[in-house]
Amino acid sequence: MGYVEAHRPLSKQCDTLNQASLFHHRRDNRPSAFVQSMALKKEIKPVAEFVVDSLLRSPTVTIRDTYCRGTCRHQGAEECTTTTQLVFPYRGVYVRHVGYDQAVAEANQVLFFNAFEGYRISHPVPGGDASLTLVISEAILRELAPGSFVRDGANLLFHGPRLRIDARTQALVALLRHSLRQKIAEPLEAESLSLTLVQRALGPRTTHAPGATFGRQRLVDRVKLVLASDLTRRWTLAEIAAEVRGSPVYLTQIFQQVEGLPLYRYQLRLRLARALDLLAHYDDLTDLSQDLGFSSHSHFSAAFREAYGRSPSEFRRSALSR
């Protein structure tokens, strides 16, 4: 078993590299002219499976931004962390396996990685993923975490593998990440934002703990993977039901029972979370709304404002500039 401090099993064979190298190839997977010319001079090294950027390290909190290519479709080798961590996926999807239990990691969830608890990772949907990882001082985390969420014992360990977070928690994740990456948040501000994020992510009124039989949870997990496979697609109930081989009526009922949200709203939250991720990369927000599959810019803006309390342009200004 390997011991790592990031939220994913960092292979000893992989080197950490700059984020930019993940985007060294064009979207059509053909190497750029620069890469082709360099290949004539020396062998091109393969892109690492992981990129881990340290955004903040203080006595209160350590924050990391982790990117994974997700090339391993099946479960990898067992790994564990040496600290208890809160992991907020914000792009893509993966599955974390702990024994016979599994949790689908996507932007509607916070995952708990307990110290020294073995887990495995699989990537059933291609495309890679990214997550913001918070390691909070254990003394402070004990103050923030409700007693019902943690196990009895000397070490702070969470009972469940995950919680569904609300839209405002997603916005806090994006605000914290963007402001640290743009270097516009001072350490004190980032620490305060981190504690607010954790408090909201663990709040009984702003989160939802899953409760379902094994079979129902696995059915819902399959639905999540279908939705994550193509966020821009305008899925119909019949299409989703066909993918998971279930009844549309039964599917909608079970999904809401397990996740506490209607299926259509769950998908909308995933698309809006992707918008939070991409705001820094689009000058024209109309293009962003079209790329995410919204019927119009006005539809996108209205849904964004309803979820996050401000328009896309207002959120971008608050996250990317002061």
Side-chain angles (χ1 to χ4, degrees):
M1 181 183 295
Y3 297 93
V4 296
E5 282 298 330
H7 85 281
R8 303 293 299 281
L10 291 176
S11 169
K12 292 182 176 64
Q13 286 75 34
C14 291
D15 297 322
T16 300
L17 75 169
N18 292 330
Q19 173 190 356
S21 62
L22 278 183
F23 307 98
H24 211 48
H25 291 75
R26 298 174 179 172
R27 290 184 179 180
D28 59 6
N29 292 322
R30 290 186 293 109
S32 64
F34 172 77
V35 171
Q36 290 176 339
S37 64
M38 292 298 292
L40 298 176
K41 299 179 180 179
K42 64 179 180 179
E43 182 182 355
I44 300 174
K45 294 182 179 180
V47 177
E49 183 72 8
F50 298 96
V51 176
V52 182
D53 290 337
S54 179
L55 301 183
L56 179 69
R57 183 182 292 272
S58 78
T60 300
V61 59
T62 297
I63 304 175
R64 302 187 189 95
D65 204 356
T66 304
Y67 305 81
C68 178
R69 294 175 63 206
T71 56
C72 183
R73 182 177 179 86
H74 304 290
Q75 293 185 37
E78 186 175 70
E79 302 285 348
C80 74
T81 67
T82 57
T83 55
T84 293
Q85 306 178 5
L86 280 73
V87 176
F88 296 89
Y90 63 85
R91 182 190 309 158
V93 62
Y94 62 92
V95 180
R96 192 207 33 195
H97 309 264
V98 179
Y100 292 104
D101 294 329
Q102 70 176 35
V104 176
E106 34 78 5
N108 284 325
Q109 310 290 328
V110 56
L111 274 69
F112 306 118
F113 283 67
N114 289 325
F116 301 105
E117 182 176 71
Y119 64 88
R120 299 175 187 271
I121 298 292
S122 64
H123 300 87
V125 177
D129 58 80
S131 298
L132 193 71
T133 298
L134 271 63
V135 185
I136 305 292
S137 158
E138 184 167 320
I140 294 177
L141 189 54
R142 285 189 182 277
E143 290 185 47
L144 295 174
S148 59
F149 284 8
V150 297
R151 308 173 191 174
D152 295 331
N155 297 323
L156 192 152
L157 305 173
F158 285 92
H159 279 302
R162 67 178 180 90
L163 290 172
R164 180 179 59 75
I165 58 177
D166 69 352
R168 301 302 171 91
T169 307
Q170 289 178 333
L172 282 171
V173 172
L175 181 62
L176 179 61
R177 187 176 70 86
H178 285 309
S179 60
L180 283 172
R181 295 206 69 89
Q182 298 293 325
K183 302 185 185 305
I184 59 176
E186 297 291 337
L188 180 59
E189 179 186 1
E191 289 178 322
S192 299
L193 271 175
S194 298
L195 298 186
T196 300
L197 169 58
V198 172
Q199 194 167 26
R200 189 170 185 94
L202 300 178
R205 295 184 179 179
T206 52
T207 58
H208 175 78
T213 63
F214 179 86
R216 290 182 175 185
Q217 183 62 67
R218 288 300 173 93
L219 175 62
V220 169
D221 287 347
R222 292 201 301 272
V223 172
K224 291 179 184 178
L225 293 176
V226 169
L227 295 178
S229 68
D230 189 352
L231 289 182
T232 65
R233 179 171 173 176
R234 297 179 186 178
W235 291 95
T236 66
L237 269 178
E239 290 170 340
I240 297 173
E243 291 284 342
V244 301
R245 299 181 181 179
S247 158
V249 174
Y250 180 74
L251 200 60
T252 55
Q253 293 173 343
I254 295 304
F255 194 94
Q256 180 147 356
Q257 288 175 14
V258 173
E259 289 300 326
L261 272 183
L263 182 54
Y264 75 90
R265 189 166 292 278
Y266 198 91
Q267 185 205 23
L268 177 61
R269 291 267 185 92
L270 290 176
R271 294 164 77 188
L272 291 174
R274 185 69 172 127
L276 289 172
D277 174 30
L278 293 173
L279 279 174
H281 304 287
Y282 278 78
D283 294 326
D284 189 340
L285 294 180
T286 299
D287 291 341
L288 175 59
S289 65
Q290 292 175 348
D291 289 347
L292 289 175
F294 286 91
S295 58
S296 65
H297 177 64
S298 60
H299 175 212
F300 166 61
S301 295
F304 193 100
R305 182 182 290 278
E306 181 181 1
Y308 303 126
R310 62 186 80 177
S311 70
S313 57
E314 290 169 342
F315 185 91
R316 183 167 61 180
R317 284 195 296 271
S318 66
L320 303 179
S321 61
R322 288 289 188 270

